[in-house]
Amino acid sequence: MPFSPDRRRFVSTAAAAGLAVSLPRSVFAQEPRVKLRLGIVPLISSGPIFLAQAKGFFDKVGLDVELRIFNDGVLAMPALVAGEIDATVATLNAGLFNTVSKGAPFKLILDRGSEKPGSGSMTIAASNDMVKAGMTSPDKMGLLKGKRIAIQAPGGIDQYLLGLGVQRAGLDPRTDVEWSTGLAYPDIVKAMGAGQADAANIPVPLGFLVEKNNFGKLVFSGYDIEPNTQLGCWAMSQRFLQANKSAAVRFAMVHTHAGRLYNKAAAAKDPDVIRIISEATKVPPALIEMAAPRWTWFNEDGMPNIDSCMAQGKFWTDPMKLVSGSVTKEQLFDLSPAVEANAALAKANPFG
């Protein structure tokens, strides 16, 4: 992931503003136990959380974690705003930027996965007719003019990747393609089989069903359109963050360490980790193994790709015109938990 001068300055500012918590191993016994209510989605990419639970990482740093399952991260945001949960996965969708522009009671604090080349899970599927027409690489996405692109919801990661691709191919992503919305990924697979979609983003391993059923082909990946796209971040309520800064840092330590183990497990197709993820998601182990190493990449310093996050906000503002207000980095992020967690792990890793 490129580390731009702007990102360095922003990270340094975040560290200076919040680097007050240093948590070597001997300190954990002195820290009060804190209950942390997390909103998660039952996907392979939630693997670091499942891994941390299975290995007792939360307990080692004095966190009592309660998981609340949501089918999509977008559905968890109202619960976060209402104070029903303390943190949740948040995609960089148009709704998030609209909320932040109006004064959201939360901050993005930590990486939650990106499209690193070779490790990202996003996959572009094209119908058999589109493949015959030549839509087999991002530079051929101009062939989608007037075609139907199936996505889960407007303003989400699917529309961002596909919209960015068609824009770079010379099309207006708002008017030159037909967006078919409101479908869950399994229904998008069926829509392709019924001839109701010409292209779609369908993450692996579900995307494999497109080819298995001869509905079309998986023609390229999300990282072929935009390498290192930030897929999501952890959002935490400002109330919890201000009242429980130590707990926020401890959570970031757990997730960062578990993310590193998860990356290694994806590369090695580790059977024990596959079993843990399968039990948590109900996805068959063989499909999880088949998808490896493309389980989603977790940045090993816990830091999100800030430039990618801001680029997504700009895309929703113009050309898509789904966001009316501007959002600054300072409005969107408080990355001091990620910065402090990375420093604490380097000083004394309590997880072995």
Side-chain angles (χ1 to χ4, degrees), residues 273-291:
V273 174
I274 289 172
R275 175 186 55 78
I276 290 169
I277 296 173
S278 176
E279 290 175 355
T281 62
K282 309 307 179 187
V283 176
L287 282 180
I288 297 173
E289 181 179 0
M290 189 185 303

Side-chain angles (χ1 to χ4, degrees), residues 28-290:
F28 289 116
Q30 304 170 21
E31 292 291 325
R33 294 193 71 86
V34 175
K35 180 178 180 180
L36 178 62
R37 301 167 299 169
L38 294 180
I40 65 166
V41 290
L43 302 176
I44 294 173
S45 58
S46 291
I49 293 293
F50 304 138
L51 189 57
Q53 271 198 311
K55 292 186 174 293
F57 292 163
F58 291 115
D59 186 61
K60 287 184 178 181
V61 293
L63 295 178
D64 296 321
V65 170
E66 175 187 310
L67 299 184
R68 183 170 170 186
I69 307 297
F70 295 87
N71 288 332
D72 189 285
V74 174
L75 302 176
M77 294 309 292
L80 182 67
V81 172
E84 297 170 4
I85 54 177
D86 303 309
T88 188
V89 56
T91 58
L92 285 302
N93 59 76
L96 176 82
F97 284 93
N98 272 320
T99 301
V100 172
S101 71
K102 297 172 184 176
F106 59 80
K107 294 287 187 179
L108 304 186
I109 65 162
L110 184 69
D111 169 57
R112 178 47 182 74
S114 63
E115 275 289 289
K116 180 183 177 180
S119 295
S121 61
M122 302 289 103
T123 304
I124 309 305
S127 68
N128 292 318
D129 286 344
M130 290 305 304
V131 172
K132 289 177 184 177
M135 215 288 281
T136 56
S137 61
D139 64 337
K140 299 296 184 182
M141 292 182 74
L143 294 169
L144 289 171
K145 185 171 183 178
K147 302 298 184 181
R148 295 162 298 180
I149 302 179
I151 58 175
Q152 289 199 108
I157 186 63
D158 304 336
Q159 192 172 38
Y160 175 70
L161 288 171
L162 288 159
L164 187 63
V166 299
Q167 182 185 43
R168 289 177 175 171
L171 303 184
D172 184 328
R174 197 161 68 99
T175 61
D176 284 343
V177 296
E178 178 184 339
W179 297 103
S180 178
T181 68
L183 299 175
Y185 286 130
D187 296 320
I188 290 176
V189 173
K190 295 175 184 176
M192 294 203 72
Q196 297 170 351
D198 299 296
N201 171 55
I202 309 174
V204 295
L206 192 62
F208 296 144
L209 295 177
V210 173
E211 292 191 343
K212 181 178 180 180
N213 292 296
N214 197 32
F215 294 161
K217 296 291 183 183
L218 302 181
V219 287
F220 47 89
S221 300
Y223 51 73
D224 293 317
I225 298 173
E226 180 70 358
N228 302 310
T229 295
Q230 190 68 36
L231 299 178
C233 297
W234 280 99
M236 181 171 282
S237 79
Q238 288 181 273
R239 178 181 299 178
F240 183 90
L241 186 56
Q242 291 167 4
N244 301 280
K245 180 62 181 295
S246 168
V249 174
R250 284 179 272 162
F251 169 69
M253 290 176 68
V254 168
H255 196 274
T256 300
H257 179 75
R260 295 170 184 173
L261 297 181
Y262 175 90
N263 289 341
K264 291 179 182 177
K269 300 188 177 185
D270 187 306
D272 289 333
V273 174
I274 289 172
R275 175 186 55 78
I276 290 169
I277 296 173
S278 176
E279 290 175 355
T281 62
K282 309 307 179 187
V283 176
L287 282 180
I288 297 173
E289 181 179 0
M290 189 185 303

